[in-house]
Amino acid sequence: LCAVRYTGVAGAPFRQEQHRRTVPPGEEETVTMTVTFAEYQPHVGDQDALKLTVAGAVQETGQVVAKELRVRLHTPELTLTLLAPAVVGQETPIQVVFQNPLPEALTGATLRMEGAGIACPKPFAL
């Protein structure tokens, strides 16, 4: 398992597992791996994905099977709600909602609002 930058460049693997299984004819085997936020967070940036590469070898025939899966990490959405009718030349109250999906508190976050008629966007501390 490794991080992949938005440019497609893969980072160094940060987790590896090896499993040996005997699979009877006509049956399938499932292996589950859970990756916590604390484990992948130090390795990913804003627009990165996770890449899982799995390779298997059939001991009896020497056949090798491989598969790769890229998991795009989604950023949470902002919800914008107009709280009053928008009238030209008047202030308009807008509600912005952001829910932190992480298992830890966000610190030092700011919100910048831009739009028509806003000459100089001002950051708001959250």
Side-chain angles (χ1 to χ4, degrees):
L1 185 65
C2 67
V4 177
R5 305 289 177 244
Y6 70 94
T7 59
V9 176
F14 62 87
R15 180 159 170 192
Q16 296 178 334
E17 293 184 6
Q18 185 171 345
H19 302 269
R20 183 177 294 272
R21 299 284 196 273
T22 300
V23 183
E27 294 192 20
E28 61 184 46
E29 182 72 23
T30 300
V31 176
T32 302
M33 182 171 78
T34 300
V35 184
T36 65
F37 172 71
E39 188 175 3
Y40 71 76
Q41 187 270 334
H43 305 280
V44 298
D46 289 344
Q47 299 177 12
D48 292 348
L50 295 176
K51 180 173 80 169
L52 175 65
T53 305
V54 179
V58 179
Q59 187 175 4
E60 292 79 6
T61 65
Q63 181 182 13
V64 175
V65 179
K67 188 76 174 179
E68 184 177 288
L69 173 68
R70 287 187 187 216
V71 178
R72 188 90 181 113
L73 301 172
H74 296 281
T75 54
E77 293 186 23
L78 293 174
T79 302
L80 303 173
T81 305
L82 203 59
L83 299 178
V87 178
V88 174
Q90 295 182 9
E91 290 186 1
T92 302
I94 299 172
Q95 178 185 42
V96 180
V97 177
F98 169 79
Q99 182 176 357
N100 178 5
L102 303 177
E104 59 187 46
L106 294 174
T107 59
T110 59
L111 175 68
R112 291 177 55 92
M113 298 180 71
E114 298 181 22
I118 300 175
C120 184
K122 297 179 184 176
F124 297 92
L126 301 178

